[in-house]
Amino acid sequence: MIRPILIHPDPRLKKACAAVGDLSDALRQLGDDMLETMYDAPGVGLAAPQIGILSRVIVLDCDKEEGVPPKPVVMFNPEVMASSEDTNVYEEGCLSIPDQFAEVTRPKEVEVRWIDRDGKEQTAGFDGLWATCVQHEIDHLDGKLFIDHIGALKRQMITRKMQKLKRELARKKDA
Ligand code: NI
């Protein structure tokens, strides 16, 4: 089921999310819904708080080339275990901050540990867009957005645009 995506600013996007317990069918369904919502948007990552669920769940698929089979990944309780000193600058966006982009510097490579859909613990290294994306999504679980990594002026400008967008969307809904 495709779920509505919250638009910044929203208090639910600023909250630290709770770890999930033992995997249940409800949690697996949440992961499936998040993937469906992400692909529909379309985006390369989505975190549970973006659909108003304050649990540590993220989904990603950062293989953007045409014609490659989808590589959906669902992570429960993901944690960055190690980060490279080398950094990478990537122009990031966010489904909760539509049509706004800014350069963000992050570690180039990270090692991440998580619980997979089968309840098994996994550890893997990520680089390139996958590294950027997994860090961006884990940030969401701590109430942090990519605009929290950029200068205050640009952040305020983007936030004002989002407030305007939300007013317009609310008007359309009322009309
Ligand atoms: Ni995001």
Side-chain angles (χ1 to χ4, degrees), residues 45-47 50 93-96 136-137 140 145-146:
L46 187 74
Q50 293 181 273
C94 181
L95 293 175
S96 293
H136 173 124
E137 300 311 331
H140 272 297
L145 303 171
F146 81 87

Short mmCIF file of all heavy atoms in Angstrom, two decimals, residues 45-47 50 93-96 136-137 140 145-146, ligand 1:
data_model
loop_
_atom_site.label_atom_id
_atom_site.label_comp_id
_atom_site.label_asym_id
_atom_site.label_seq_id
_atom_site.Cartn_x
_atom_site.Cartn_y
_atom_site.Cartn_z
N GLY A 45 15.43 6.16 -1.58
CA GLY A 45 15.43 5.77 -0.17
C GLY A 45 14.23 6.37 0.53
O GLY A 45 13.67 7.38 0.08
N LEU A 46 13.83 5.73 1.63
CA LEU A 46 12.71 6.24 2.43
C LEU A 46 12.88 5.72 3.86
O LEU A 46 13.28 4.58 4.05
CB LEU A 46 11.37 5.77 1.84
CG LEU A 46 10.11 6.35 2.48
CD1 LEU A 46 9.90 7.81 2.06
CD2 LEU A 46 8.87 5.54 2.09
N ALA A 47 12.57 6.58 4.83
CA ALA A 47 12.64 6.19 6.23
C ALA A 47 11.23 6.23 6.83
O ALA A 47 10.40 7.05 6.42
CB ALA A 47 13.56 7.15 7.00
N GLN A 50 9.11 9.29 7.63
CA GLN A 50 8.58 10.05 6.50
C GLN A 50 7.14 9.67 6.17
O GLN A 50 6.46 10.40 5.46
CB GLN A 50 9.46 9.87 5.26
CG GLN A 50 10.84 10.49 5.42
CD GLN A 50 11.66 10.31 4.15
OE1 GLN A 50 12.32 9.31 3.98
NE2 GLN A 50 11.60 11.29 3.26
N GLY A 93 18.71 15.19 -2.19
CA GLY A 93 17.33 15.63 -2.14
C GLY A 93 16.62 14.73 -1.15
O GLY A 93 17.24 13.87 -0.53
N CYS A 94 15.32 14.92 -0.98
CA CYS A 94 14.57 14.14 0.00
C CYS A 94 13.10 14.16 -0.40
O CYS A 94 12.59 15.22 -0.78
CB CYS A 94 14.76 14.74 1.38
SG CYS A 94 13.90 13.85 2.68
N LEU A 95 12.43 13.02 -0.30
CA LEU A 95 11.02 12.97 -0.68
C LEU A 95 10.17 13.86 0.24
O LEU A 95 9.07 14.26 -0.15
CB LEU A 95 10.50 11.53 -0.67
CG LEU A 95 11.12 10.62 -1.74
CD1 LEU A 95 10.63 9.18 -1.56
CD2 LEU A 95 10.80 11.12 -3.15
N SER A 96 10.69 14.18 1.43
CA SER A 96 9.95 15.07 2.35
C SER A 96 10.28 16.54 2.09
O SER A 96 9.73 17.43 2.76
CB SER A 96 10.26 14.71 3.80
OG SER A 96 9.75 13.43 4.10
N HIS A 136 21.87 9.13 4.83
CA HIS A 136 20.74 10.07 4.79
C HIS A 136 19.51 9.45 5.47
O HIS A 136 18.84 10.10 6.28
CB HIS A 136 20.46 10.42 3.32
CG HIS A 136 19.23 11.23 3.05
ND1 HIS A 136 19.28 12.43 2.37
CD2 HIS A 136 17.92 11.02 3.34
CE1 HIS A 136 18.04 12.91 2.27
NE2 HIS A 136 17.20 12.08 2.84
N GLU A 137 19.25 8.17 5.16
CA GLU A 137 18.05 7.52 5.73
C GLU A 137 18.22 7.26 7.22
O GLU A 137 17.27 7.43 7.99
CB GLU A 137 17.74 6.21 4.99
CG GLU A 137 17.47 6.35 3.50
CD GLU A 137 16.49 7.44 3.13
OE1 GLU A 137 15.59 7.74 3.93
OE2 GLU A 137 16.64 8.01 2.03
N HIS A 140 17.41 10.23 9.21
CA HIS A 140 15.97 10.44 9.42
C HIS A 140 15.51 9.79 10.73
O HIS A 140 14.61 10.30 11.40
CB HIS A 140 15.17 9.80 8.28
CG HIS A 140 14.94 10.68 7.09
ND1 HIS A 140 14.23 11.86 7.16
CD2 HIS A 140 15.30 10.55 5.79
CE1 HIS A 140 14.17 12.42 5.93
NE2 HIS A 140 14.82 11.64 5.09
N LEU A 145 17.50 15.88 8.99
CA LEU A 145 17.27 15.98 7.55
C LEU A 145 18.56 16.43 6.87
O LEU A 145 19.44 16.98 7.52
CB LEU A 145 16.16 17.00 7.27
CG LEU A 145 14.82 16.71 7.96
CD1 LEU A 145 13.87 17.89 7.79
CD2 LEU A 145 14.19 15.44 7.39
N PHE A 146 18.63 16.24 5.54
CA PHE A 146 19.88 16.65 4.87
C PHE A 146 20.12 18.15 5.00
O PHE A 146 21.27 18.58 5.02
CB PHE A 146 19.91 16.18 3.39
CG PHE A 146 19.14 17.04 2.41
CD1 PHE A 146 19.73 18.15 1.82
CD2 PHE A 146 17.83 16.74 2.08
CE1 PHE A 146 19.03 18.94 0.90
CE2 PHE A 146 17.12 17.52 1.16
CZ PHE A 146 17.72 18.62 0.58
NI NI B 1 15.13 11.99 3.05
#
